[in-house]
Amino acid sequence: MAGRPGLDPTEEAKSYSALFVLMVALLLGAAVWSIWDDNISRRPWKEYQVEFDRLAYNKYMKDAAQEQKVLDADPEYQKATKELAQAKAELDSGATAKKLDDLRAQLKTMKETADDKEQAVRFTKSFLTERWYDYNHAIQEKQDPSKYMAEINQLNAELAVEQKISDASKAQVQGLKDQIDAINSKVFDLTQKLIQITKKRDDDIDKANMYMIPVSLGGHVLFRYPKIPKIQQTAIDDFDRNAFDEAVARVDRCQSCHMGIDKHGFEDAPQPFRTHSNYEAIIGNHPSDKLGCTPCHEGQGPAVNSVAMAHGDVEHWEHPLLRGAEQQSRCIKCHIDVGSLRNKDGEQIAANWVEGERLFEQMGCHGCHLVTGYEDMPKIGPYLKLASAKLDPSWTVRWITDPHEFRPHTRMPNFMFNTAEATRIAAYLFSSSSKQSQEWLKSHPAPPTLEQDIKSPGLIEEGKGLFESVGCKGCHAIDPDQYGTPVGDYAHFIPTATRTTKDFAPNLSRIAEKTSASWVYLWLKNPRDFSPHTAMPSLRLSDHEAEALTAFLMTHGQKKEDPGVEQALHDPVNISQGESLVRKYGCFGCHEIEGMDKESRIGVELTAFGSKHLDELFFGNREDIPETWNDWTFHKLQDPRIYATKDVEQLMPNFDFQDADIKNLRVFLASLTDGKVLERYRAPGTEKQEEIVSGRRMVNYYNCVGCHIVENRGGYIRRFYAEDDINFAPPILNGEGLKVQPDWLFTFLQGPTPIRPWLKVRMPTFHFSNKDDDTLVNYFTSLSDVQVPYEFLNTNLIAVPTLEAGAKLMSKDYFNCFSCHQQGDKKPEGPPSGWAPDLALAHSRLNPEWIPIWLKNPQAVQPGTKMPSFYPGGPDDILGGNEEQQIKAIRDYIFWFGTHPGQALPSATPVKVTRK
Amino acid sequence: MKRFAVLTAGCAAIAIGLGIAAFQAAADNGGTISGTVKYDGTAPAPKKVEVTKDKEVCGLKPHFDEDLVVSSGGGIANAVVVLKDAKGTAKPEEVKFDQKGCDYTPHVLAFPAGSTVDIMNDDGILHNIHTYSKVNPPFNMAQPKFKKEIKQTIAKPEVIKVSCDAHGWMHGWWYVTDTPYFAVTDENGNFTIKDVPPGNYTIEVWQEKLGTQDQKVDVKSGATATANFAMKPKS
């Protein structure tokens, strides 16, 4: 067989079918794989969506069924349904149906008639137009128009008659229509009413239909088919800025799986379908279609291929999903006053962050670490420029060696110095302060008989009574296993464990070991005299009281002299080496030390610590610690020198933090980031918020919460009062900004005057500067959201009948207010422990707007108060029994007699002059 | 139709009648517990309370501290005796708590949960009712001269201290029970609990100052069981 020229016959004879089959198979395989890969394997979210659609469908159908049950039991629904059915039936048959048919037939004929009459009118009008033309034409042609005029008159007369007839038939048509509508209206109204009644059920059904789409025929659902899964995404164009301040877009697809997150009703659904917690506060104020999810939660927003990828739990993704309290570190990005963010039950949303920030402030972290916004915070440690006037030398060395041995809960960290190092530091502290100390001691002589007096058992007992009652216990504990005010999480107050809750103020159980009786006495008399910035206030103790307290305190602990210490402290070598150690370890971060006022912080700046990349964190040789920011930080705070190596020294001391405190502190540290958020995403910042933040810092620094409850927190001293005696505890200051007048509060804070002289506990004098005082006053008014802090009530303009009503209401025959309340010099009967504040002072102290709130429900304002509620329940015979007016009359009368001491009620109401 | 209605009403009447009869029968079959609560030790002398306020009303009679009142025979007044594990729910009552001569009458009031207390003010001066309760919402209501009566329903069982802040010496107690079987001792320390279904129970006595004490008591139908207590001061 001869082939065609140029062709290889053997090639022609070859079969490629096997190859062809293989290729086809491969191609087919590839096609199947690509479809599978594209639509199935990388679409795990589809399954979630299908599951959620089923869940949502079932839920809404169940809700609808539930609602149907409610409706079935609802007489109104039953009535409406019955009436509607009846009304419909009436329209279909019976007399009404017949009447309706009649009316419709009549309407039809009447409409035809009306149309005819209408046409006649139109025709006549046309003729008229024509005649008017003829008439005008005749005038223009100079012919006689009168013939036309006669015709016009004739036509006008005809038109008037026809118009009347037409109008009458139109009215008849309308009348018939109205009758028909009246018959139909019942059905229409009832249908509308029923729609209203069944709205909830119908909404539920509509919602259910969205998830499983029904195919209906004649009102019956034949079958349903599922919704086609679709990626749900939110794109935020410019939430983030990069290093060049350019917008960086975010795409969040979280809701492709977390489908119930912004819907009520899935609170108990399994994850990922559950409704967001604190729904009103979070979703209500942060619509997820505008803000997405990752600005607060982090994770890998656009990733949908797997749960791990979406949550960013993959290598090289720098912002894995924040879990639990970690999310709270993001609030500060947009909110100035994170502490005031509360859910609908009034609980703090970022409670861990707030706790962490407070730890940062109260543990004095800012002393060694610079953080923008926290630069100007006061040093938290005792004043050491007069150290040698106060401290026992042997104790000082032991203390520096291990503060936690002496006071397990002290805020002072352990630097792990050996005795030699501690001796050197003590030597420097004593020598640098010796000159000033001597001068101070010379100018502050203690009573010469003090040492002798304090041995008296009677005085010691008296001192104990003072310690128990005057307010010391708000901050200090004297039992080694007790606490005054804890710093951090006191739910875990474990007295003997090594890592513990911290004490705000020193535990005084071994005070005599540390210092001398004369120092304690002078300190109690006026702490600021010794330490210009101390948080310890003056309790305005008399000399005798100060002696008694000193006597009591000095029974706690005993001097323990270590041989050779005195001598070592005077060794010049020790002194100079001590100075180097003080500089190296940065003791001046917390303490004021002579000659070290200008030293800068020794720790690293933490302003953007939360943004640190892993390669910026030094793990030393610790292979056992997982390489994450969270782990690094936790272990650093738990054991600050854990990453030290042979060649890299670490200086940070050990605070012996308990785990709960470390975690809270870590939430705060994580919030220190360098990311900028555009103004339009930030919560509107106000001056008030800034005032609250500044004031809260002062509250933290001075520990107001030791005695008072402020922002629903604190009042630690209250636990020492029996339930019946809680009225003798320091007042609760929630809502204080609304209660008192700002100028009164300002003056009171400068120099407290007793309002309740029968209280044993004393509001101390803190010696606030005007600026600090102002900050506190603004803090309270802003917390109470008082719009106009200065309320003025012109008592000269109060109507006489109002005053008379107020006086009558407060009289013995009615509320008998002065049974307990003082009124200037007029004191109530009975012992002072049963008295209530002087109402003659109320006008200068209380906000007139607050008194009605108080009168309506005193227990709500000050739980446990002895003030009973008088309302509701006012008398019927005053001001017509109008309680609002009665309350106002009482308030007005209180203000009046405060501003008119000793005066009788006026006889005529002054005329009010209106300003133009 | 009418005849049917009459028939139904008749049946119902018979049924109710039977029910009452059955109930009475049950009560008839019940037993009684009686006994005395005595003070174990030398009775403290009654402490006089000084009237410091509103003397024209409060000072008309002498006042004594009522937190432990022991009769000459050693009986403790105002102790509450309760059957702890008896079945049966208490029917709410309407009880009277009077403020008379600046004292509470009675000093200890026991009543079942859900009852309404009529707080009376017969003194014509300002009193206030301040309750120290934890289970029920605490309240502190003024009762001025013109308000002769306040009604207050106490929903849950609890022992509630009541005091008047206007007159520091006025203290009283509301013992709110969850059982219908309770009694308050009279001035001689005697008490009787009637119509108790037969059975073996724990009977507890509570006294505001001395605390609680309990014992077992066996109640037999138609018989009177005795439960005597001797209470010592709390150590």
Side-chain angles (χ1 to χ4, degrees):
Chain A
M1 200 164 73
R4 274 186 287 162
L7 286 174
D8 183 354
T10 50
E11 201 57 36
E12 286 288 302
K14 261 189 192 165
S15 167
Y16 284 94
S17 56
L19 191 64
F20 181 74
V21 169
L22 183 71
M23 284 304 172
V24 168
L26 267 177
L27 199 64
L28 194 71
V32 170
W33 174 82
S34 69
I35 291 169
W36 181 82
D37 183 55
D38 196 41
N39 289 290
I40 298 157
S41 78
R42 294 194 289 135
R43 301 288 186 268
W45 53 272
K46 284 189 176 176
E47 274 177 42
Y48 283 119
Q49 285 201 7
V50 171
E51 201 183 326
F52 179 78
D53 290 347
R54 207 177 304 131
L55 184 89
Y57 168 74
N58 289 335
K59 176 198 144 51
Y60 289 124
M61 285 309 263
K62 210 173 126 196
D63 288 354
Q66 193 72 33
E67 182 59 21
Q68 185 62 50
K69 265 190 204 156
V70 174
L71 286 174
D72 288 344
D74 180 3
E76 206 189 341
Y77 169 76
Q78 289 166 0
K79 198 173 141 221
T81 329
K82 215 163 135 192
E83 281 176 358
L84 181 62
Q86 216 168 4
K88 272 186 178 163
E90 274 174 17
L91 292 188
D92 290 343
S93 63
T96 322
K98 198 163 168 284
K99 194 177 170 198
L100 201 60
D101 283 346
D102 266 7
L103 285 170
R104 281 188 180 132
Q106 277 181 46
L107 180 66
K108 204 181 162 217
T109 355
M110 201 62 224
K111 254 189 181 165
E112 281 163 11
T113 321
D115 285 351
D116 288 350
K117 305 292 175 204
E118 168 88 26
Q119 205 171 26
V121 169
R122 266 190 241 127
F123 280 164
T124 311
K125 278 182 180 167
S126 302
F127 288 135
L128 258 174
T129 320
E130 199 185 345
R131 288 301 155 264
W132 275 114
Y133 172 80
D134 290 339
Y135 172 83
N136 288 323
H137 189 70
I139 291 174
Q140 281 160 22
E141 297 289 316
K142 315 259 190 274
Q143 289 167 358
D144 178 19
S146 58
K147 175 176 90 172
Y148 299 115
M149 199 58 208
E151 276 184 48
I152 285 171
N153 288 338
Q154 168 73 26
L155 276 172
N156 266 336
E158 277 173 28
L159 180 65
V161 175
E162 280 167 358
Q163 187 71 53
K164 231 180 188 170
I165 296 170
S166 170
D167 286 349
S169 35
K170 266 191 201 162
Q172 268 178 307
V173 167
Q174 193 53 49
L176 286 168
K177 272 188 182 164
D178 288 350
Q179 284 186 50
I180 292 171
D181 281 354
I183 293 169
N184 278 329
S185 74
K186 205 172 161 195
V187 171
F188 180 80
D189 290 349
L190 283 168
T191 310
Q192 289 300 320
K193 192 177 166 194
L194 207 59
I195 286 175
Q196 282 303 316
I197 296 175
T198 60
K199 190 172 182 308
K200 196 166 171 289
R201 181 201 63 192
D202 297 340
D203 282 355
D204 283 335
I205 291 175
D206 286 349
K207 280 184 196 158
N209 289 346
M210 272 165 51
Y211 292 99
M212 291 291 271
I213 297 148
V215 175
S216 318
L217 187 71
H220 291 283
V221 177
L222 294 180
F223 62 92
R224 290 172 182 272
Y225 62 91
K227 213 169 84 180
I228 294 164
K230 212 173 120 193
I231 284 279
Q232 305 290 326
Q233 75 176 27
T234 305
I236 325 165
D237 300 338
D238 51 0
F239 188 81
D240 304 282
R241 321 291 291 174
N242 64 14
F244 305 101
D245 204 27
E246 293 162 336
V248 181
R250 267 174 197 255
V251 175
D252 283 358
R253 293 176 171 162
C254 317
Q255 290 194 67
S256 299
C257 298
H258 292 276
M259 296 186 70
I261 204 82
D262 59 352
K263 294 174 187 69
H264 260 314
F266 295 92
E267 284 78 6
D268 299 322
Q271 287 293 26
F273 305 133
R274 200 171 300 159
T275 306
H276 202 293
S277 57
N278 293 328
Y279 186 92
E280 285 73 14
I282 307 283
I283 301 294
N285 294 322
H286 310 75
S288 55
D289 57 338
K290 265 198 192 132
L291 286 168
C293 311
T294 58
C296 302
H297 290 275
E298 300 292 359
Q300 198 178 176
V304 286
N305 286 4
S306 77
V307 173
M309 282 185 192
H311 289 176
D313 296 329
V314 283
E315 218 182 335
H316 305 308
W317 185 259
E318 284 179 4
H319 304 290
L321 185 73
L322 299 175
R323 290 173 163 89
E326 291 171 18
Q327 294 147 14
Q328 298 171 13
S329 64
R330 291 302 181 265
C331 306
I332 193 76
K333 273 183 158 182
C334 302
H335 294 274
I336 293 174
D337 176 13
V338 176
S340 294
L341 303 175
R342 290 178 188 270
N343 67 13
K344 69 174 179 1
D345 301 323
E347 293 157 350
Q348 270 180 328
I349 284 177
N352 300 81
W353 183 91
V354 173
E355 194 82 29
E357 189 202 30
R358 191 164 51 238
L359 275 162
F360 181 88
E361 288 175 18
Q362 294 194 325
M363 294 305 293
C365 307
H366 55 274
C368 292
H369 300 281
L370 180 68
V371 175
T372 309
Y374 298 83
E375 309 92 322
D376 301 326
M377 312 268 303
K379 296 180 177 184
I380 66 147
Y383 186 74
L384 295 182
K385 286 186 178 177
L386 293 173
S388 63
K390 167 184 175 186
L391 302 173
D392 174 77
S394 297
W395 174 87
T396 310
V397 174
R398 289 196 300 274
W399 170 258
I400 296 171
T401 314
D402 182 5
H404 299 143
E405 187 278 324
F406 182 74
R407 280 182 189 143
H409 302 282
T410 181
R411 289 194 272 171
M412 166 92 173
N414 186 352
F415 285 81
M416 289 156 281
F417 291 126
N418 57 36
T419 314
E421 288 169 319
T423 310
R424 286 175 206 143
I425 291 170
Y428 177 73
L429 296 177
F430 272 73
S431 78
S432 66
S433 64
S434 74
K435 194 166 158 264
Q436 283 189 55
S437 296
Q438 274 161 19
E439 282 167 18
W440 188 83
L441 286 172
K442 212 180 280 171
S443 60
H444 292 79
T449 57
L450 182 71
E451 292 291 345
Q452 202 51 46
D453 293 348
I454 62 171
K455 288 181 186 139
S456 144
L459 199 66
I460 292 170
E461 201 51 35
E462 201 184 327
K464 182 170 192 267
L466 277 168
F467 188 88
E468 302 276 338
S469 64
V470 86
C472 311
K473 287 165 93 178
C475 297
H476 294 278
I478 196 142
D479 182 327
D481 294 342
Q482 257 295 351
Y483 63 91
T485 294
V487 173
D489 184 10
Y490 78 106
H492 300 98
F493 188 88
I494 315 159
T496 48
T498 42
R499 294 196 291 115
T500 66
T501 306
K502 303 294 153 200
D503 272 330
F504 175 80
N507 183 303
L508 300 175
S509 57
R510 286 163 73 181
I511 181 73
E513 188 178 332
K514 171 184 172 179
T515 185
S516 65
S518 57
W519 182 82
V520 170
Y521 173 86
L522 293 166
W523 172 254
L524 287 170
K525 282 292 287 178
N526 189 359
R528 287 255 163 155
D529 213 8
F530 180 82
S531 168
H533 305 297
T534 181
M536 166 91 177
S538 155
L539 282 148
R540 301 183 300 279
L541 299 168
S542 69
D543 292 355
H544 176 75
E545 286 172 333
E547 268 202 341
L549 259 179
T550 307
F552 172 65
L553 290 174
M554 291 313 282
T555 59
H556 290 78
Q558 214 162 22
K559 285 260 180 306
K560 229 164 51 189
E561 203 176 315
D562 296 326
V565 168
E566 284 282 357
Q567 213 176 351
L569 295 193
H570 289 98
D571 180 346
V573 179
N574 278 345
I575 294 169
S576 86
Q577 283 179 343
E579 181 175 358
S580 316
L581 282 168
V582 168
R583 277 188 210 285
K584 181 178 170 187
Y585 287 93
C587 310
F588 41 78
C590 291
H591 303 278
E592 284 178 66
I593 296 171
E594 191 55 44
M596 298 200 178
D597 289 335
K598 299 230 162 69
E599 298 296 316
S600 50
R601 295 174 169 87
I602 68 151
V604 290
E605 180 174 348
L606 297 179
T607 302
F609 179 71
S611 303
K612 282 215 170 174
H613 298 291
L614 277 178
D615 53 10
E616 294 172 272
L617 299 173
F618 179 67
F619 279 86
N621 298 325
R622 300 306 297 233
E623 300 287 333
D624 53 330
I625 293 169
E627 289 210 13
T628 69
W629 185 95
N630 267 343
D631 285 290
W632 188 91
T633 309
F634 184 87
H635 291 284
K636 177 74 184 172
L637 288 168
Q638 193 183 53
D639 181 359
R641 297 186 188 166
I642 195 168
Y643 304 118
T645 60
K646 285 264 182 241
D647 55 334
V648 179
E649 192 187 14
Q650 296 201 314
L651 303 177
M652 180 160 157
N654 199 335
F655 291 84
D656 287 354
F657 283 126
Q658 57 173 338
D659 288 1
D661 289 341
I662 293 177
K663 284 178 186 159
N664 290 338
L665 202 42
R666 189 175 63 180
V667 172
F668 173 72
L669 292 173
S671 76
L672 303 172
T673 59
D674 52 7
K676 286 181 218 155
V677 175
L678 273 195
E679 190 63 34
R680 65 189 182 93
Y681 289 110
R682 299 181 60 92
T686 62
E687 209 179 310
K688 278 185 194 270
Q689 291 169 357
E690 281 161 21
E691 283 170 353
I692 292 173
V693 170
S694 315
R696 197 179 283 134
R697 279 192 192 164
M698 282 194 63
V699 169
N700 288 346
Y701 183 76
Y702 288 102
N703 194 37
C704 310
V705 296
C707 293
H708 300 285
I709 294 179
V710 187
E711 291 194 68
N712 289 324
R713 175 179 157 261
Y716 295 103
I717 202 170
R718 297 176 76 83
R719 66 189 198 280
F720 300 114
Y721 291 84
E723 193 185 28
D724 299 16
D725 288 339
I726 199 70
N727 195 43
F728 294 102
I732 295 169
L733 298 186
N734 290 336
E736 182 73 1
L738 183 64
K739 175 180 178 179
V740 298
Q741 296 178 22
D743 41 356
W744 175 85
L745 184 57
F746 187 90
T747 320
F748 179 76
L749 288 172
Q750 286 287 339
T753 45
I755 299 160
R756 299 171 183 84
W758 56 91
L759 294 193
K760 286 182 179 154
V761 65
R762 291 180 200 173
M763 169 72 184
T765 307
F766 284 89
H767 304 287
F768 293 125
S769 68
N770 282 345
K771 188 169 162 281
D772 285 354
D773 195 347
D774 196 48
T775 304
L776 274 174
V777 173
N778 288 337
Y779 166 69
F780 283 113
T781 43
S782 296
L783 263 187
S784 298
D785 201 17
V786 180
Q787 297 304 321
V788 187
Y790 296 89
E791 284 283 345
F792 175 68
L793 188 73
N794 190 340
T795 51
N796 289 323
L797 297 179
I798 300 167
V800 170
T802 307
L803 290 179
E804 285 168 352
K808 200 169 166 193
L809 280 164
M810 293 183 74
S811 72
K812 202 157 184 182
D813 284 343
Y814 287 89
F815 293 158
N816 199 6
C817 305
F818 304 110
S819 170
C820 300
H821 282 284
Q822 308 170 67
Q823 187 189 4
D825 296 336
K826 279 186 254 168
K827 305 291 179 204
E829 285 184 291
S833 60
W835 293 1
D838 186 354
L839 292 182
L841 299 178
H843 75 280
S844 62
R845 175 172 162 250
L846 299 177
N847 181 341
E849 300 300 313
W850 177 83
I851 294 179
I853 299 172
W854 171 249
L855 281 173
K856 278 179 203 165
N857 193 353
Q859 293 293 331
V861 178
Q862 198 77 236
T865 179
K866 292 200 171 186
M867 169 82 174
S869 44
F870 290 85
Y871 289 97
D876 297 332
D877 57 346
I878 297 178
L879 294 173
N882 184 323
E883 302 205 334
E884 288 294 328
Q885 284 183 23
Q886 289 179 5
I887 289 171
K888 228 183 116 268
I890 294 174
R891 186 271 311 268
D892 287 356
Y893 179 61
I894 292 174
F895 269 62
W896 184 87
F897 70 68
T899 45
H900 300 76
Q903 290 183 30
L905 282 182
S907 51
T909 307
V911 183
K912 190 171 180 177
V913 184
T914 1
R915 246 177 270 152
K916 289 211 172 141
Chain B
M1 187 71 190
K2 207 172 190 178
R3 216 192 300 163
F4 178 71
V6 172
L7 198 69
T8 316
C11 287
I14 292 167
I16 290 168
L18 282 173
I20 291 169
F23 182 78
Q24 277 176 341
D28 286 344
N29 287 336
T32 303
I33 308 171
S34 76
T36 312
V37 181
K38 290 212 166 170
Y39 188 68
D40 186 3
T42 334
K47 236 187 281 162
K48 205 172 171 195
V49 172
E50 199 197 339
V51 173
T52 49
K53 207 171 168 181
D54 294 323
K55 285 178 189 155
E56 67 281 5
V57 176
C58 308
L60 293 178
K61 61 168 188 185
H63 290 260
F64 295 97
D65 204 340
E66 290 183 283
D67 59 0
L68 180 61
V69 179
V70 181
S71 72
S72 52
I76 301 175
N78 291 325
V80 181
V81 185
V82 178
L83 271 199
K84 289 310 266 186
D85 38 10
K87 284 198 183 94
T89 36
K91 229 165 74 194
E93 301 167 9
E94 187 148 336
V95 289
K96 205 178 257 189
F97 190 64
D98 202 355
Q99 294 158 105
K100 208 172 192 173
C102 306
D103 261 337
Y104 289 123
T105 322
H107 175 67
V108 173
L109 181 67
F111 54 86
S115 298
T116 301
V117 187
D118 292 349
I119 306 160
M120 317 290 287
N121 181 0
D122 284 341
D123 282 343
I125 54 168
L126 173 81
H127 285 301
N128 70 305
I129 287 280
H130 191 168
T131 64
Y132 293 87
S133 49
K134 293 198 176 74
V135 184
N136 295 286
F139 60 85
N140 181 0
M141 283 185 301
Q143 193 163 16
K145 184 177 176 179
F146 66 87
K147 220 189 268 180
K148 294 264 178 271
E149 189 183 305
I150 297 178
K151 284 182 193 287
Q152 189 71 29
T153 302
I154 309 295
K156 292 171 189 158
E158 185 184 4
V159 181
I160 302 171
K161 186 176 176 182
V162 180
S163 67
C164 174
D165 298 307
H167 306 99
W169 65 86
M170 287 176 71
H171 294 293
W173 295 87
W174 292 351
Y175 193 114
V176 193
T177 70
D178 53 357
T179 155
Y181 307 108
F182 61 88
V184 184
T185 56
D186 62 16
E187 67 268 32
N188 294 317
N190 298 324
F191 70 92
T192 310
I193 303 176
K194 281 185 184 157
D195 300 335
V196 182
N200 210 345
Y201 302 105
T202 304
I203 187 167
E204 187 185 83
V205 61
W206 168 91
Q207 204 280 338
E208 56 182 287
K209 206 175 169 190
L210 306 178
T212 58
Q213 211 182 80
D214 60 32
Q215 57 176 271
K216 288 277 173 201
V217 61
D218 194 13
V219 180
K220 291 208 171 72
S221 169
T224 299
T226 310
N228 291 325
F229 293 92
M231 296 190 89
K232 271 187 204 165
K234 267 193 211 169
S235 48

